[in-house]
Amino acid sequence: MASLIVLNWKLYPSLSDVLVLAPQIKNMAALTRNAEIVICPPAAFLHPLFEEIRHQTESLKLGAQDISAFPEGAMTGDVGVGTVKPWAKYVIVGHSERRRHYQESDQLVSEKAKLALLNRITPIICVGEAQKAAAARSFVKDELEKSLVLLSPKERQEVVIAYEPSWAIGSTEAAPIEYAQEMLKVLKEVLPASVRVLYGGTVTEENSQQFLMAGFDGLLIGRASLKINSLKKILGF
Ligand code: PGA
């Protein structure tokens, strides 16, 4: 099965950066056989990016970085599911930056995931412990179960999970492979067999293959996803 490679561009790129990166990634996607690439740009760039890549939909898709838990209404500043729906096939929910800076709870993450699924958008639900500690396994298992709480058994088969220990995000070191593999095992015990689990947190051209070889179904990449040379190596070019 092709690896799912999610590019989380966060609040980093300008529109001109996006328009420079898009054709290069489109070319890579056209040549790759073993990866499905999902670009998650800032929400306002979904449409211009879609226009850039529209003839490359098989192996290259777009995702939103977040959505409001409210389907519509008086919610100034929120990005609604209906706003991203024309362009996005995926949406990241529960990223640790949202959980930490905006106090997003597991319940809210579950609401967002449910709303995405109702709109035929695949939620990429992020879970991960804040500290490398003995209790990390039970923390992550509990966070996963609570983030899935509103989903039916059928809906649970349709999500993607990203294991991202927040201490490894935006850091200089990714999680050690054996450690991440142990967490993967914990998550897979809770999840239906078909659910893909990604690794995220300081993925680089040096470590990306190791996570895939350790059994992760893909990667959620932040900083390295904006560097075209790193991305090329990660995708095996
Ligand atoms: P990073 O970000 O690769 O820059 O650590 C990953 C993420 O936050 O998804």
Side-chain angles (χ1 to χ4, degrees):
M1 198 190 203
S3 306
L4 183 60
I5 308 294
V6 182
L7 316 184
N8 179 10
W9 284 355
K10 309 195 185 191
L11 208 49
Y12 290 129
S14 64
L15 179 57
S16 46
D17 294 333
V18 167
L19 297 177
V20 167
L21 287 164
Q24 303 184 66
I25 296 175
K26 184 175 165 175
N27 287 343
M28 284 192 253
L31 295 171
T32 185
R33 294 272 166 274
N34 53 4
E36 176 186 351
I37 303 168
V38 180
I39 309 177
C40 301
F45 303 153
L46 280 166
H47 186 190
L49 191 51
F50 182 83
E51 293 298 324
E52 283 295 314
I53 66 159
R54 60 188 310 152
H55 301 297
Q56 185 57 60
T57 47
E58 271 306 300
S59 53
L60 182 56
K61 302 199 176 87
L62 297 185
Q65 295 178 13
D66 185 39
I67 46 166
S68 172
F70 297 94
E72 57 176 7
M75 292 296 155
T76 304
D78 271 16
V79 175
V81 68
T83 307
V84 304
K85 194 174 171 175
W87 335 114
K89 292 264 178 276
Y90 291 87
V91 60
I92 300 170
V93 294
H95 190 280
S96 70
E97 287 153 12
R98 305 288 321 168
R99 291 178 185 266
R100 188 165 75 245
H101 300 309
Y102 301 94
Q103 287 76 48
E104 293 197 359
S105 64
D106 297 328
Q107 176 74 21
L108 188 81
V109 172
S110 197
E111 285 172 23
K112 291 183 178 192
K114 179 100 185 167
L115 185 61
L117 287 163
L118 288 172
N119 284 275
R120 299 184 194 288
I121 297 175
T122 302
I124 301 170
I125 303 174
C126 301
V127 294
E129 75 284 5
Q131 272 153 14
K132 214 197 272 181
R137 281 187 219 181
S138 55
F139 175 88
V140 168
K141 187 163 177 270
D142 185 58
E143 187 175 53
L144 176 66
E145 280 165 353
K146 288 183 178 149
S147 302
L148 293 173
V149 75
L150 298 175
L151 308 192
S152 68
K154 185 170 176 296
E155 287 172 326
R156 285 170 192 228
Q157 294 180 6
E158 289 163 25
V159 304
V160 171
I161 302 298
Y163 169 61
E164 294 208 303
S166 52
W167 50 266
I169 295 177
S171 162
T172 49
E173 272 181 67
I177 300 293
E178 300 75 35
Y179 181 97
Q181 208 166 17
E182 194 54 40
M183 291 303 203
L184 176 64
K185 210 169 115 200
V186 171
L187 295 171
K188 293 257 182 190
E189 273 164 21
V190 177
L191 293 164
S194 59
V195 170
R196 291 173 289 177
V197 181
L198 317 181
Y199 170 80
T202 311
V203 171
T204 62
E205 62 209 63
E206 285 86 21
N207 64 25
S208 57
Q209 286 309 312
Q210 296 172 39
F211 288 106
L212 297 176
M213 278 159 60
F216 284 93
D217 304 292
L219 304 165
L220 178 46
I221 314 172
R223 289 157 297 165
S225 71
L226 287 145
K227 297 184 197 127
I228 207 73
N229 287 332
S230 299
L231 198 53
K232 270 188 191 153
K233 292 190 181 130
I234 290 170
L235 291 167
F237 289 99

